[in-house]
Amino acid sequence: MLKRHSLMKILMFVILMSYLSLAQEPYRVGTTSASFLEIGVGSAGIAMGDAYVASAQDISALYWNPAGLALMKSNEAQFMYQPWVADVNSIFAGVGMQLQGIGTIAIGIFGLDYGDIDVTTLEYQQGTGEKYTASDYCFSLSYARSIVDWFSFGASVKYITSKIWHTSAGAMAIDLGVLIQTPFFAPKDKRDNGLRIGMSIANYGTRLQYDGDDLLFPVDQDPLAYGNYQNVQGKYKMSEWELPQIFRIGLALAPIDIANNKLTIEIDATHPNNMSEYVNMGAEYKFTAPGFGDFSLRAGYKGLFLIDSIYGLRFGGGLNFHVSPNLSMKIDYAYQTIGVLGDINSLTVGIAF
């Protein structure tokens, strides 16, 4: 027990120092690509104000903290549909399998579809009659395992692709996460219900650089000379852009866990590489009906202390009901507002088997 406490103190110190060392100015707003990677996944985490790095223990942990996959109680599949701003649609689909003695393997896809967009030129500013499409997608392969009953780790390998008409870009990245279950504040008869510490770093990888036929253009190297090659093919060389790296550390605690009632509170500190640091806070109340399932209410606040924040209060709820002894279904809903960009609703449907 003494060694365990000493190890946890060391880990907490390293995590705290790592976070403090990342704080810096000026804030690099607008200097990263693939911003869709900053959009939360799973209605449960979204409703809790994105404060979910220490609480995610379902397939949505693919996004928040891959270490949480190790604590999944069964195999699970999940699908989320979230109409985003400006008629943009975002979707997420993932499935995780528990392999006895090996760990948890999960795959997922998350992306945005921008729909059909009119092609315009200087001559035809109302449209040429053509349309083009644009999309952003992230494909993830994750592995997680509990080393001991109080420490889990996880890692994800991701391929990010972005496409605009005939121009596209791709990048590789990794996510790393750990989850620590401490005995602090735990009731004597529930040692596994103490303070949880979660930490993850997301989107650490290569840069995005666009390339494609849309960047080609004709070049006349010498307009005053005749007989030369008047239409030499040239190409715009695009800059490389970093991915939005996100460092998260969170603390989760269940101060109320009596009979069939459980209240979980979490607070996360977030350091992105493209804006100021901020804090997310969230809570979940869960009521368990024996033989039926769980009913949850969630609320949270995203962007506390964020400079020029467009975020704020969020809320939602969920229902997890048993279809059979080895099969259950889960439906989660979340509502959020993003300032002048409007209100966003997300719906997530999952199945555990």
Side-chain angles (χ1 to χ4, degrees):
M1 184 64 67
L2 181 60
K3 292 183 177 179
R4 178 182 295 185
H5 287 172
S6 299
L7 178 58
M8 285 188 291
K9 289 179 181 179
I10 294 173
L11 287 172
M12 292 178 66
F13 176 78
V14 171
I15 292 170
L16 179 61
M17 293 305 296
S18 299
Y19 178 75
L20 293 176
S21 66
L22 287 171
Q24 57 182 346
E25 294 185 14
Y27 306 120
R28 302 166 54 217
V29 177
T31 61
T32 58
S33 59
S35 297
F36 77 102
L37 296 173
E38 301 175 81
I39 300 174
V41 165
S43 300
I46 294 172
M48 289 181 64
D50 283 12
Y52 211 52
V53 68
S55 295
Q57 298 180 16
D58 59 5
I59 195 64
S60 70
L62 276 166
Y63 174 82
W64 305 104
N65 182 359
L69 296 170
L71 301 183
M72 288 171 47
K73 295 181 174 59
S74 60
N75 302 327
E76 185 178 342
Q78 193 175 100
F79 175 80
M80 181 192 77
Y81 174 68
Q82 182 174 238
W84 201 239
V85 300
D87 296 326
V88 176
N89 293 319
S90 69
I91 61 169
F92 165 76
V95 59
M97 304 288 292
Q98 294 179 321
L99 304 178
Q100 188 68 29
I102 297 177
T104 302
I105 302 292
I107 58 174
I109 177 174
F110 173 65
L112 268 63
D113 185 351
Y114 299 90
D116 295 330
I117 305 172
D118 293 325
V119 176
T120 60
T121 65
L122 290 175
E123 293 80 13
Y124 299 94
Q125 298 187 21
Q126 300 303 316
T128 64
E130 296 179 278
K131 292 183 180 294
Y132 72 95
T133 60
S135 61
D136 294 316
Y137 285 98
C138 174
F139 303 88
S140 303
L141 174 62
S142 302
Y143 171 76
R145 183 170 183 175
S146 294
I147 304 301
V148 290
D149 59 356
W150 57 272
F151 180 83
S152 304
F153 82 95
S156 299
V157 178
K158 305 198 296 191
Y159 175 69
I160 298 100
T161 177
S162 179
K163 184 177 182 180
I164 305 175
W165 208 1
H166 305 115
T167 301
S168 61
M172 298 292 296
I174 61 172
D175 294 356
L176 299 173
V178 297
L179 194 59
I180 304 170
Q181 179 71 58
T182 78
F184 301 127
F185 309 110
K188 292 182 179 180
D189 57 340
K190 294 184 178 180
R191 301 291 292 176
D192 60 343
N193 203 27
L195 180 70
R196 292 193 305 273
I197 303 173
M199 181 185 70
S200 69
I201 181 169
N203 310 319
Y204 182 79
T206 62
R207 300 187 177 198
L208 276 176
Q209 183 179 32
Y210 286 92
D211 192 12
D213 293 343
D214 294 329
L215 301 178
L216 299 174
F217 63 95
V219 178
D220 188 350
Q221 294 179 315
D222 189 354
L224 301 179
Y226 293 95
N228 68 335
Y229 295 98
Q230 297 182 0
N231 291 312
V232 175
Q233 192 175 76
K235 177 182 281 190
Y236 293 104
K237 183 178 181 181
M238 307 299 288
S239 299
E240 296 181 341
W241 296 90
E242 291 181 77
L243 298 175
Q245 297 175 19
I246 307 173
F247 178 85
R248 300 183 180 95
I249 178 171
L251 304 176
L253 182 65
I256 298 177
D257 190 359
I258 303 173
N260 299 326
N261 301 276
K262 184 176 182 179
L263 175 65
T264 302
I265 299 175
E266 177 161 344
I267 180 169
D268 290 1
T270 304
H271 173 85
N273 66 343
N274 56 6
M275 65 179 73
S276 64
E277 295 82 7
Y278 58 93
V279 172
N280 299 330
M281 303 176 65
E284 176 190 61
Y285 166 73
K286 179 184 293 184
F287 173 77
T288 300
F292 176 77
D294 304 322
F295 175 75
S296 301
L297 292 175
R298 306 179 182 99
Y301 191 97
K302 178 179 179 178
L304 192 65
F305 308 124
L306 175 63
I307 297 177
D308 298 326
S309 175
I310 60 174
Y311 306 108
L313 289 171
R314 301 179 174 191
F315 61 85
L319 178 64
N320 183 13
F321 57 95
H322 304 304
V323 179
S324 68
N326 298 319
L327 180 66
S328 63
M329 293 195 65
K330 181 169 62 174
I331 301 174
D332 293 311
Y333 166 79
Y335 168 86
Q336 58 178 309
T337 180
I338 311 181
V340 297
L341 298 179
D343 302 331
I344 304 295
N345 298 279
S346 66
L347 181 66
T348 302
V349 178
I351 181 172
F353 53 96

